Amino acid sequence: MSRVLLCCGASVSIYKSCDLASKLTQAEHEVRTALTANAARLVAPQLFEAVTGQPAATTEWGSERRTAMDHIEWARWAEVLVVAPASADLLARLALGVANDLVTSSALALDPSRPRLLCPAMNPTMLEAPAVQRNLATLAADGWTTVAPGEGPMACGEVGRGRLAEPAEIAAAVEAALGRG
Ligand SMILES: Cc1cc2nc3c(=O)[nH]c(=O)nc-3n(C[C@H](O)[C@H](O)[C@H](O)COP(=O)(O)O)c2cc1C
């Protein structure tokens, strides 16, 4: 059993992250979920809490139940961090070292020895955009492992590469990152 910090950006594919959270929980991992503010407009944090039995949050600014500075506590807690889905915006913020919410500040506060995975999800044209490719290369150089997006029909109506990898594939990548692949 390991402690997994699941970080979600605002992509339509976030519905698959609920299944990923469930699969990781069924594999007896403890899963906390950090969502960007826009990700939480697509899926409420409460759904992740219900699936995982662990906290889900959008902010490091505390709440009635939690003390502030969760980004440090959650980063110390995590044995592996997985960003699924990673939107184009979230990739850009991670590549730049922006730390303006719970997801990005937790990623920045994660011990460099801990594995970190990226699962991009976006429209095929966005994925091929030079800025996105540049950010992916920067993040790879920074030690992130990318779980490649799949090919097929997209919610935007296009067909191409950019679909979030399947939850089973991401779960297997998490196990591999933990040395259990
Ligand atoms: C319904 C919906 C689906 C979206 N899906 C994606 C997506 O799959 N990939 C992406 O990069 N942006 C997507 N966006 C745009 C992002 O939500 C927007 O760029 C946002 O700023 C992402 O930032 P965040 O992930 O850092 O919260 C979507 C927006 C909406 C409203």
Side-chain angles (χ1 to χ4, degrees), residues 8-14 35-40 42 85-91 93 101 104 120-123 126 154-155 162:
C8 299
S11 158
V12 63
S13 65
I14 193 173
L35 298 93
T36 66
N38 280 339
L42 297 173
S87 66
D89 177 74
L90 188 47
L91 287 176
R93 291 192 289 131
D101 62 9
T104 51
M122 67 200 70
N123 160 279
M126 289 172 77
M154 310 279 299

Side-chain angles (χ1 to χ4, degrees), residues 72-97:
I72 303 297
E73 201 275 314
W74 284 31
R76 285 185 186 141
W77 172 89
E79 292 174 274
V80 57
L81 185 148
V82 53
V83 184
S87 66
D89 177 74
L90 188 47
L91 287 176
R93 291 192 289 131
L94 291 168
L96 273 175

